[in-house]
Amino acid sequence: MTRSVAGTEAFWGHGDATGLDLGGLSASEERQVMLRLRSRHFEQWATAAARVGHCTNPIRVRGASTTFDASTGQPVRSYSTDSEPLGVLHLRCGNRRADVCPSCSRLYASDMFHLIRCGVAGGKGVPGRVADNPLVFATMTAPSFGPVHTAASASGRCHPRSKSPECAHGRRTACFELHDDADPRLGQPLCWECYDYATHVVWQWWAPELWRRFTIALRRAVARHLGIKPRDLNDVATVQYAKVAEYQLRGVVHFHALIRCDGPRSRDGFEEAPAPITSQVLAELVAAAAREVHFDAPPVLDENATRNLRFGRQLDSRPVRATQRLDDPERPLRPEQVAGYLAKYATKSATTSVDGGTNPHLERIKAVAEAVAAAVTPDEGCDQVPYELMSHWVHMLGFRGHFATKSRRYSVTLGALRRARHRAKKLLAQAEETGSSLHLAALEAELMADEEDTTTLVIGHWRFAGTGWQTAGDAALARAAAVRAREYDQWKAEQRRNRPEQRS
Ligand SMILES: [Zn+2]
Ligand SMILES: [Zn+2]
Ligand SMILES: [Zn+2]
């Protein structure tokens, strides 16, 4: 249903009251929506919903806090949820998955983009000189565990082989098809009995360890190139990265990473890189380090052989430079594009769950992961990360790492971005109250300051009062409003683009 509702400005955040799209509601949800729209507290509810960005599943807390002036000890202001019309304070759920909370996942996506972009081009407290430091975009894949149907070969044909013998299971070892993107066979093995599921699962389990070893190997390689001992490296250069893990269709992750070389470790970071390390040199060192790292994985199931794990031969390591294009593989990449690219992967990974469903290949991976976890007796497990823990990661096909990680001094942190947003809101509210104008850009340094406000002290007591809105109808209303708010933001951005250049 699509309804027009008058007098709901607080809900929209602007004066335009076009209909909300509330399709696919059950009869009882529809009733709840109508009750809410007609309720005496609608305005208050709408304000609360707008305050959490129309989060679908907010956290409710009850309690009170008092803010004291730290120097005089005098109370400055106090707040209690008793004064809230709804009796509770709502906080964002913070979920990164779009199917769980469109609003919070979009906020995460936007924060992720800024985090990655600032490490490439500076901004939000990261000095602009960081853009001059050598930067590489690298992709590291898993090796092959057996041929799978693919659309990514050079010719476009899957597995063309002129001599096409059958495997031991009587299946063809060639496939001449041009699979399109929607072909459900993509990622499926040509022969599932030949496919090495055990090694697939073991590799996935240790992928974070391979990455860790790669970062160590790279630091050593940089030190070697500079002619210094690895333990002295921090006095001359540091290596920073932001990395994202993404599932390929064959159900194994690969890593995309932005890797940057900075100067010596310092309090603020982001120092100028030593001259001998150019983007081109860094790209070569990254490729060499990725080829070199390996790890002997403890045996699984009833085997007794270790597996020597490595990254796959498909390895990409390219300099990122300010003036080139992403779609030409011969040329270096442009920083803005590459940041957008990586941020997209980060949010895609966070928003998709690996639900095998009707995918027989993914179901077999899960079954093997389960078997590996079950076959380990506690004292048999290796001391690093015992395989029995794999039972917790079966739904992730045995991948236990984080989907987006970064080194400490790559860029700003998500926490700093959240704090800045909070401060910006406060400043905007103050400016609105006093009728003064506010230039947020000029205040960026203040917004991105490391420490919380130390001139005041907040003492409060909070109790968890539950999650979610009161009814499924409220949740549907919040979700629809989130969509509407997004459309409005896009419309505003469009207006800004179409307006002739105005600078104050
Ligand atoms: Zn949320
Ligand atoms: Zn094929
Ligand atoms: Zn076979």
Side-chain angles (χ1 to χ4, degrees), residues 382-400:
C382 70
D383 9 307
Q384 271 179 302
V385 189
Y387 286 124
E388 48 181 325
L389 291 179
M390 203 188 281
S391 62
H392 300 290
W393 302 100
V394 169
H395 64 295
M396 287 290 158
L397 311 178
F399 180 60
R400 63 186 158 91

Side-chain angles (χ1 to χ4, degrees), residues 167-169 191 194:
C167 73
H169 312 96
C191 173
C194 286

Side-chain angles (χ1 to χ4, degrees), residues 486-499:
R486 183 181 197 196
E487 286 165 1
Y488 179 69
D489 284 347
Q490 284 168 344
W491 176 80
K492 264 200 313 199
E494 187 75 17
Q495 297 292 305
R496 268 200 303 274
R497 271 197 296 278
N498 293 341
R499 210 179 300 151

Side-chain angles (χ1 to χ4, degrees), residues 166-173 190-195:
E166 289 179 344
C167 73
H169 312 96
R171 299 190 179 95
R172 291 182 62 192
T173 56
L190 269 65
C191 173
W192 64 271
E193 285 175 287
C194 286
Y195 192 87

Side-chain angles (χ1 to χ4, degrees), residues 46-125:
T47 307
R51 239 193 252 153
V52 291
H54 304 109
C55 169
T56 315
N57 193 35
I59 296 153
R60 303 191 303 267
V61 294
R62 274 199 194 95
S65 73
T66 306
T67 306
F68 296 91
D69 186 312
S71 54
T72 66
Q74 293 299 307
V76 183
R77 60 183 164 268
S78 53
Y79 168 81
S80 164
T81 51
D82 290 343
S83 62
E84 293 284 339
L86 304 174
V88 289
L89 180 67
H90 292 89
L91 306 171
R92 276 181 173 278
C93 75
N95 200 296
R96 294 167 181 192
R97 283 175 53 179
D99 54 340
V100 176
C101 181
S103 170
C104 291
S105 82
R106 213 161 43 238
L107 192 67
Y108 170 72
S110 143
D111 281 356
M112 209 57 206
F113 175 78
H114 287 297
L115 186 156
I116 290 166
R117 192 189 58 88
C118 292
V120 169
K124 311 252 180 229

Side-chain angles (χ1 to χ4, degrees), residues 28-262:
S28 75
E29 284 167 348
E30 238 190 277
R31 223 171 17 252
Q32 289 162 352
V33 166
M34 292 321 292
L35 274 174
R36 172 57 73 199
L37 292 176
R38 292 197 199 109
S39 88
R40 210 154 43 87
H41 291 303
F42 178 78
E43 286 297 331
Q44 288 90 337
W45 183 86
T47 307
R51 239 193 252 153
V52 291
H54 304 109
C55 169
T56 315
N57 193 35
I59 296 153
R60 303 191 303 267
V61 294
R62 274 199 194 95
S65 73
T66 306
T67 306
F68 296 91
D69 186 312
S71 54
T72 66
Q74 293 299 307
V76 183
R77 60 183 164 268
S78 53
Y79 168 81
S80 164
T81 51
D82 290 343
S83 62
E84 293 284 339
L86 304 174
V88 289
L89 180 67
H90 292 89
L91 306 171
R92 276 181 173 278
C93 75
N95 200 296
R96 294 167 181 192
R97 283 175 53 179
D99 54 340
V100 176
C101 181
S103 170
C104 291
S105 82
R106 213 161 43 238
L107 192 67
Y108 170 72
S110 143
D111 281 356
M112 209 57 206
F113 175 78
H114 287 297
L115 186 156
I116 290 166
R117 192 189 58 88
C118 292
V120 169
K124 311 252 180 229
V126 178
R129 66 169 181 268
V130 82
D132 297 327
N133 283 349
L135 184 70
V136 164
F137 185 63
T139 300
M140 284 160 227
T141 58
S144 169
F145 309 112
V148 297
H149 290 285
T150 177
S153 72
S155 68
R157 297 211 181 269
C158 184
H159 284 282
R161 300 171 64 172
S162 53
K163 282 203 182 112
S164 164
E166 289 179 344
C167 73
H169 312 96
R171 299 190 179 95
R172 291 182 62 192
T173 56
C175 172
F176 293 91
E177 284 199 49
L178 288 158
H179 299 291
D180 69 54
D181 288 349
D183 193 327
R185 286 172 298 176
L186 285 177
Q188 301 290 315
L190 269 65
C191 173
W192 64 271
E193 285 175 287
C194 286
Y195 192 87
D196 188 353
Y197 282 98
T199 305
H200 178 133
V201 164
V202 170
W203 191 93
Q204 189 111 288
W205 184 249
W206 294 112
E209 176 64 16
L210 273 181
W211 173 267
R212 193 183 70 83
R213 288 176 177 233
F214 159 75
T215 60
I216 294 168
L218 178 60
R219 288 191 176 99
R220 286 210 186 106
V222 170
R224 213 178 305 131
H225 190 84
L226 291 169
I228 55 175
K229 293 202 178 77
R231 65 158 186 270
D232 297 332
L233 184 64
N234 282 338
D235 300 336
V236 183
T238 56
V239 175
Q240 306 295 338
Y241 66 84
K243 129 180 166 290
V244 165
E246 185 202 17
Y247 284 104
Q248 294 180 290
L249 286 168
R250 59 179 171 142
V252 73
V253 292
H254 60 179
F255 295 130
H256 300 287
L258 274 167
I259 302 166
R260 196 181 67 219
C261 182
D262 289 356

Side-chain angles (χ1 to χ4, degrees), residues 456-478:
T456 58
L457 186 67
V458 183
I459 296 176
H461 298 281
W462 300 97
R463 249 172 329 114
F464 176 70
T467 60
W469 296 106
Q470 207 178 335
T471 67
D474 282 356
L477 210 47

